Amino acid sequence: MPELPEVEGVVRSLQPFVKHKRLEEIEISRTIQLSHENGKEAIIKGMDPDQFANALLHWEIKAVTRKAKYIYFHLTKEGNSALLVNHLGMTGAWFYVKDIHDIREEKFAKHRHVTFLLSDGHYLVYSDIRRFGELRLLENEQSHSPLLQIAPEPFDEKAEEFFIQRSKENKYVNKTIKETIMDGQVVSGCGNIYATEALYRMRILPTKRVKTISIVKRRQLFQAIVNVLLESIEAGGSSISDYRSINGEAGSMQDRLQMYGKKNCPTCGKTVLQKVIAGRNSWYCTSCQK
């Protein structure tokens, strides 16, 4: 699943191409239409596909920003504003192309679900192989309460103290540290890959209970999370499995990962153990991580 660095890469790539472009036509795939007809509401949330397409006509994309793992398309029309929110899910990807056939990877071309014709004649395409992503048209951020519950950006000055205070709450003290730092209401945008890497860098077992970790160590861990996120942003994210930035571009952070998906510990050489924590595979070394 794309995490904060990958989403940041998509936003930075999209912004120069789509800013100040109008949405002139919107096409929804038959797959999504059928999903809604069967009551499953794939990708497009909160309204039926035809309503979604009609509601978006002729809005201008004023800016593209990110909040945690969400992409925000800020829209404007006739003095009004709206917000198109996107979560990439497991396999979501955006393409900005002159021709639909310019989407080179067949798996993304085959699963093209929402296509926007822009005022410059190009297409902005949302593809999603597994259809776990979402597009939600809102009046504003306050219209969807889960967005307001997200922790501060990890790079904000207040984020570390926010993490420390949340980690002291009864809700979290008995949870594993891995589960806690992957909770978007505790740390914003830190998913499985970067939680695994930060814990390895700090030599902390992902199964360790929060209450057994000192406040000093928690602060150091938070800084390790920030550092690994910044490093990944610089590297264009981790292109593992089906993640791509726009137009199929891949990142290189996967080449720098030290623990995620590894068979042997790069420090001691011992076999890496694997365990499911909070529904996600975790890799760790019991020799180096305590």
Side-chain angles (χ1 to χ4, degrees):
M1 178 183 291
E3 300 178 24
L4 185 155
E6 289 75 44
V7 178
E8 179 68 18
V10 173
V11 167
R12 292 184 182 186
S13 298
L14 278 173
Q15 174 87 342
F17 291 115
V18 305
K19 187 176 181 181
H20 300 315
K21 307 292 171 52
R22 290 187 312 278
L23 308 175
E24 301 292 14
E25 296 178 13
I26 297 95
E27 178 188 342
I28 312 296
S29 74
R30 185 57 183 155
T31 301
I32 300 306
Q33 298 273 2
L34 286 172
S35 167
H36 280 252
E37 289 172 14
N38 293 322
K40 295 183 179 179
E41 207 178 56
I43 296 180
I44 296 172
K45 309 296 183 183
M47 58 180 67
D48 68 55
D50 289 339
Q51 182 186 11
F52 177 83
N54 291 331
L56 279 168
L57 278 175
H58 310 309
W59 285 83
E60 178 184 320
I61 301 173
K62 185 177 181 181
V64 186
T65 61
R66 177 190 57 75
K67 181 170 184 176
K69 302 177 187 179
Y70 289 89
I71 298 172
Y72 283 10
F73 293 86
H74 300 265
L75 307 177
T76 183
K77 183 173 70 172
E78 300 174 353
N80 298 312
S81 62
L83 190 64
L84 177 60
V85 178
N86 168 235
H87 193 289
L88 296 172
M90 297 291 290
T91 57
W94 287 97
F95 297 85
Y96 172 83
V97 291
K98 182 63 176 176
D99 189 283
I100 294 301
H101 298 98
D102 291 339
I103 301 175
R104 302 302 183 188
E105 287 192 74
E106 183 179 355
K107 61 185 178 181
F108 289 114
K110 181 180 178 181
H111 295 281
R112 174 171 60 90
H113 293 301
V114 185
T115 303
F116 303 90
L117 174 62
L118 301 179
S119 52
D120 65 352
H122 284 70
Y123 294 95
L124 176 63
V125 178
Y126 180 70
S127 295
D128 197 332
I129 299 163
R130 299 183 67 183
R131 302 191 298 277
F132 291 159
E134 68 176 61
L135 286 164
R136 189 182 298 271
L137 180 60
L138 304 171
E139 183 177 347
N140 50 47
E141 190 180 54
Q142 288 71 30
S143 304
H144 189 53
S145 59
L147 297 174
L148 304 178
Q149 298 169 16
I150 297 172
E153 284 288 298
F155 317 118
D156 290 353
E157 288 185 7
K158 60 184 179 181
E160 180 181 316
E161 195 57 39
F162 182 90
F163 163 67
I164 295 300
Q165 295 307 315
R166 290 307 300 267
S167 71
K168 293 178 181 178
E169 294 179 9
N170 292 335
K171 180 179 178 180
Y172 298 107
V173 290
N174 288 309
K175 287 188 176 183
T176 67
I177 187 62
K178 174 86 180 293
E179 181 179 5
T180 300
I181 63 176
M182 287 197 302
D183 187 323
Q185 295 184 31
V186 180
V187 179
S188 174
C190 180
N192 193 31
I193 296 172
Y194 303 114
T196 297
E197 291 299 299
L199 289 166
Y200 175 70
R201 292 183 181 193
M202 286 302 302
R203 302 296 189 256
I204 298 173
L205 278 172
T207 54
K208 199 174 182 68
R209 300 291 165 180
V210 172
K211 64 184 178 183
T212 67
I213 302 172
S214 71
I215 298 300
V216 171
K217 198 75 170 178
R218 291 183 215 178
R219 291 189 184 279
Q220 293 171 344
L221 173 59
F222 185 82
Q223 287 306 310
I225 293 169
V226 170
N227 291 339
V228 74
L229 291 174
L230 288 173
E231 183 181 342
S232 184
I233 289 172
E234 182 183 348
S238 300
S239 289
I240 296 171
S241 183
D242 297 310
Y243 164 72
R244 300 291 185 277
S245 184
I246 73 163
N247 297 354
E249 296 176 2
S252 62
M253 185 61 185
Q254 66 275 7
D255 300 326
R256 306 186 192 186
L257 299 177
Q258 299 176 60
M259 179 53 60
Y260 182 86
K262 302 301 181 183
K263 293 183 178 180
N264 298 99
C265 176
T267 300
C268 70
K270 290 187 177 180
T271 300
V272 166
L273 298 183
Q274 189 175 345
K275 181 178 182 178
V276 174
I277 300 174
R280 307 302 303 276
N281 285 326
S282 298
W283 290 264
Y284 54 96
C285 174
T286 53
S287 177
C288 296
Q289 294 172 257
K290 303 297 182 182

